Amino acid sequence: MNEKGSKRREWVKTAAIIFLSVLLVLTFFSNTIMNYSLPEVAAQYVQSGTITAKIRGTGVVESGDPYEVKTKLTGRTIESVNVKAGDTVQKGDVLFVLQEGEESTDLTEAKDSLEQAEINYEQALKKAQAAFLTGGLSEEVYQNLQAGVTTSYTEYYSRMMDAQAKVDEYTKKGKEIADKINEITNTKDNLQYDVPNTTAEEQAYNAAKAEYDKRNEEVTRVKNDLDGKKSELYEAESLIRDYEAGLTVSGSDVEAQLEEAKNKVSVLPGLIISLESDLSALESALAPYKADMDKKKAALDSKTDNTGSINALNKELANWQKEQDANETRLTEATEARDQIISEINTELGGEGIDLETPRKELTDAREKVQKLESELLGGVVEAPISGTISSVSVVAGDKTSDETGAKVLTVMQPEGKGFSMSFSVTNDQASRLAVGDKAELVNAWRYEDVEVTLSGIRPDTTDPGQKKLLTFNVTGSVTAGQTLNISVGQKSANYDMIVPNSAIREDNNGKFILIVETKSSPLGNRYYATRVDVEVLASDDTQSAVSGGLYGSEFVITTSTAPVEAGQLVRLADS
């Protein structure tokens, strides 16, 4: 009985000792155990120093002096668009072709008024001519004629007929031009709606091309073989020349190289001559197949694509329309000159009651009204008003040239010789370290051959004028409007009191901040906490940034961590 009680007491005593030992071990090593569960961070102290600030930004290239192309031919449907963004055009090139419109009631009434005005004018003209030819001279005019003071009837008549001949010439010319315009328009319309069957032409071309390709493969093989043999001969001859000149020849076995080179010099010329002969024969045999393929291709193209013919007709039509405008101007001038001569003759001969001015003005007004209405309905084109590059096209075939607000912008052009621009915002502090004329560097500059970006303006940003500045840059070289460029600008160095690595800068919805390490003592040792400090980045280079905020300059800033770290979280420091 006593023996059993003694054993039980020994067991309890042993268990108590083990428990207290484990508790003691866990107490002493609890700090170490906990540390292994915490994210490990690397940190360094805030420093002072110098930063060569490069301000980086992204901007969209815009036309420096954009030219908006519109047309006075409002309400018209666009039949075809001849340009796209990036195209270079010359002044007078056809940008858009317009469809013909339907004749309006206003045009019909205007034509009726023009017809009546022509009748009234012809009647007044005949009345004036009759007054001249029948005489009706005053005594004073008669005496002057007899004395030779006033021009004779023959000279009067000659002057009037010469003037009338000019009017008749330009009238006839106008009819010929109108007939030519109608002829070209009809030809173009027939081409536009002609959808040819090209099955036979396609089959003929494909067969001819397959035959040519099969024979051309052998020509290519022999040509490549010939080029290889020529290259080998050149290298062998070069090695022999270098050796004989006493120059160093690379390689461990020079004698073997020299022997091989001499063997090639002996054998290769004959092979080259033979290959050249074979190549010449093969190329001669290939020529008829090439000609046959080209002929079949031309036949297919001529039947397949009317675009080239339509464009050519559009240009010819535009030229004839210009000639028509010029002829109408000449006709107007000739008519006015004739009327002036008749008026002067009747005045000189004493004719009274002859009014040509009123019917002539009514006729001119009627013609101008009809021309205006016809220009708004008849098929026409929109030409490039300047030379330059197409920046953007705002319409497609089927769109109208105007809407309820008036004439639409059909396309925007970058004038020839004018530059481009781009802009982005920076802080006032960043802007203070820049100057107009600073050159910017392009990110991935190897992608741009001749592009130069120069700071041209620094002004308050209207979105935040108190805190930001808008930088404007001139851009020259091979760029187009709408292209995005990433640049860096600024080479001025400045001293700063607080500099941290770029990896220490963090950002969330509340702005930019850093995490610093703060130490708190405990019975089991020091504890390290991450604490947030909001900062403003003043300047940056490729590795570090100057900051300002609630810092004293001696803080231990977290740069990297083995796991995400938040403010207030316990961390452990990496072994330095």
Side-chain angles (χ1 to χ4, degrees):
M1 181 79 177
N2 291 335
E3 183 179 348
K4 289 182 179 180
S6 176
K7 286 182 179 181
R8 187 180 303 113
R9 285 193 297 273
E10 287 294 328
W11 180 86
V12 172
K13 180 180 178 181
T14 302
I17 292 172
I18 293 172
F19 173 76
L20 291 173
S21 298
V22 171
L23 183 63
L24 183 62
V25 169
L26 291 175
T27 300
F28 278 107
F29 289 95
S30 62
N31 192 41
T32 303
I33 294 171
M34 184 187 70
N35 279 343
Y36 280 111
S37 68
L38 299 177
E40 183 180 68
V41 299
Q44 70 178 55
Y45 287 104
V46 176
Q47 300 176 345
S48 62
T50 300
I51 285 184
T52 301
K54 285 191 176 182
I55 299 167
R56 292 170 174 79
T58 300
V60 178
V61 176
E62 299 177 347
S63 176
D65 187 15
Y67 190 100
E68 295 182 344
V69 178
K70 300 180 182 180
T71 178
K72 295 180 179 179
L73 305 179
T74 56
R76 299 286 296 280
T77 300
I78 296 171
E79 183 175 288
S80 64
V81 180
N82 293 353
V83 292
K84 60 183 182 299
D87 286 352
T88 300
V89 298
Q90 300 299 316
K91 182 179 180 180
D93 286 353
V94 177
L95 306 180
F96 305 93
V97 179
L98 308 180
Q99 290 181 0
E100 293 185 1
E102 298 180 357
E103 185 168 311
S104 63
T105 303
D106 290 341
L107 178 56
T108 301
E109 294 176 352
K111 286 182 176 180
D112 292 341
S113 298
L114 174 59
E115 185 177 351
Q116 186 59 49
E118 288 174 340
I119 293 173
N120 295 341
Y121 183 69
E122 287 299 324
Q123 290 176 347
L125 187 60
K126 289 178 181 179
K127 182 178 178 182
Q129 291 172 334
F132 162 66
L133 295 174
T134 56
L137 308 178
S138 65
E139 183 64 25
E140 180 182 358
V141 173
Y142 178 76
Q143 294 296 333
N144 288 337
L145 282 171
Q146 295 294 321
V149 176
T150 306
T151 308
S152 68
Y153 274 115
T154 303
E155 291 183 48
Y156 279 135
Y157 190 78
S158 176
R159 285 171 58 195
M160 188 176 67
M161 289 302 102
D162 288 344
Q164 183 63 45
K166 286 290 184 182
V167 174
D168 294 341
E169 175 188 348
Y170 295 133
T171 302
K172 179 181 177 183
K173 183 68 174 178
K175 185 179 183 306
E176 293 173 352
I177 294 174
D179 291 342
K180 188 65 178 178
I181 289 175
N182 290 334
E183 177 187 340
I184 295 172
T185 301
N186 291 335
T187 303
K188 187 186 74 169
D189 291 342
N190 291 334
L191 280 175
Q192 287 174 330
Y193 299 108
D194 179 23
V195 182
N197 182 358
T198 60
T199 302
E201 286 78 9
E202 288 177 358
Q203 291 175 347
Y205 168 68
N206 290 334
K209 185 176 185 301
E211 202 66 33
Y212 169 80
D213 290 342
K214 182 172 67 176
R215 285 164 172 76
N216 191 46
E217 287 178 2
E218 180 63 14
V219 172
T220 302
R221 186 192 66 76
V222 173
K223 187 178 295 184
N224 291 338
D225 194 11
L226 176 61
D227 291 341
K229 293 293 187 292
K230 286 182 177 180
S231 178
E232 286 183 47
L233 179 60
Y234 174 78
E235 292 175 357
E237 289 175 340
S238 297
L239 188 145
I240 293 172
R241 283 196 303 271
D242 291 346
Y243 180 80
E244 291 176 347
L247 300 176
T248 301
V249 178
S250 62
S252 58
D253 193 349
V254 176
E255 294 297 331
Q257 292 185 60
L258 188 62
E259 185 65 27
E260 183 182 1
K262 289 180 178 179
N263 184 52
K264 287 183 178 180
V265 170
S266 174
V267 174
L268 287 178
L271 290 176
I272 290 173
I273 292 173
S274 177
L275 287 172
E276 286 177 339
S277 177
D278 292 346
L279 180 61
S280 178
L282 288 171
E283 287 178 337
S284 297
L286 182 65
Y289 293 96
K290 177 68 164 60
D292 184 53
M293 181 183 69
D294 291 343
K295 180 179 178 182
K296 299 290 175 33
K297 183 64 166 63
L300 175 62
D301 290 343
S302 65
K303 195 170 183 181
T304 301
D305 189 9
N306 291 331
T307 302
S309 300
I310 292 174
N311 287 338
L313 288 172
N314 281 333
K315 289 185 178 181
E316 186 179 0
L317 185 62
N319 291 334
W320 278 109
Q321 287 172 333
K322 287 181 180 179
E323 181 62 25
Q324 186 180 51
D325 292 340
N327 187 75
E328 288 177 353
T329 299
R330 291 191 289 266
L331 176 60
T332 299
E333 292 173 351
T335 301
E336 291 176 351
R338 180 202 61 187
D339 295 346
Q340 183 65 29
I341 289 172
I342 293 175
S343 178
E344 291 174 356
I345 291 173
N346 277 282
T347 299
E348 189 173 344
L349 293 178
E352 296 178 359
I354 306 299
D355 180 15
L356 287 177
E357 185 61 30
T358 299
R360 182 178 66 176
K361 187 176 185 310
E362 291 175 351
L363 177 59
T364 300
D365 292 344
R367 281 176 177 165
E368 289 177 353
K369 185 174 182 179
V370 170
Q371 288 173 358
K372 180 179 181 297
L373 293 173
E374 284 183 338
S375 68
E376 295 175 356
L377 296 175
L378 299 178
V381 296
V382 178
E383 297 178 344
I386 59 172
S387 297
T389 303
I390 302 297
S391 299
S392 63
V393 179
S394 308
V395 293
V396 296
D399 285 351
K400 294 289 187 180
T401 58
S402 61
D403 53 26
E404 61 277 2
T405 63
K408 292 196 296 188
V409 176
L410 306 181
T411 181
V412 178
M413 295 181 61
Q414 171 65 22
E416 189 175 63
K418 299 288 186 179
F420 294 88
S421 66
M422 63 173 284
S423 60
F424 58 81
S425 291
V426 297
T427 65
N428 288 342
D429 184 71
Q430 289 174 320
S432 67
R433 293 190 291 278
L434 300 176
V436 172
D438 285 351
K439 296 289 186 181
E441 296 179 358
L442 285 160
V443 177
N444 297 330
W446 55 269
R447 295 172 53 189
Y448 309 94
E449 295 181 0
D450 58 347
V451 177
E452 289 189 359
V453 182
T454 306
L455 182 59
S456 60
I458 304 173
R459 63 179 186 275
D461 188 343
T462 55
T463 62
D464 189 2
Q467 301 295 324
K468 293 184 178 180
K469 290 288 192 297
L470 186 69
L471 305 183
T472 303
F473 299 84
N474 285 335
V475 184
T476 59
S478 302
V479 294
T480 57
Q483 186 174 350
T484 299
L485 296 180
N486 296 320
I487 65 170
S488 62
V489 61
Q491 297 294 328
K492 297 181 179 179
S493 298
N495 293 319
Y496 296 92
D497 294 331
M498 288 177 284
I499 295 176
V500 299
N502 288 337
S503 59
I505 306 295
R506 304 162 188 258
E507 187 172 8
D508 59 15
N509 293 335
N510 295 321
K512 293 184 178 180
F513 64 95
I514 61 173
L515 293 175
I516 64 173
V517 177
E518 290 192 342
T519 305
K520 293 183 180 180
S521 299
S522 71
L524 296 178
N526 291 332
R527 293 284 186 264
Y528 302 102
Y529 293 85
T531 301
R532 174 181 175 132
V533 178
D534 292 327
V535 297
E536 178 184 358
V537 176
L538 303 178
S540 297
D541 59 20
D542 293 333
T543 60
Q544 55 189 5
S545 297
V547 297
S548 64
L551 299 171
Y552 297 101
S554 58
E555 286 80 4
F556 207 36
V557 181
I558 295 176
T559 57
T560 59
S561 62
T562 58
V565 178
E566 296 181 357
Q569 185 175 349
L570 276 170
V571 298
R572 63 188 174 98
L573 296 178
D575 295 333
S576 57

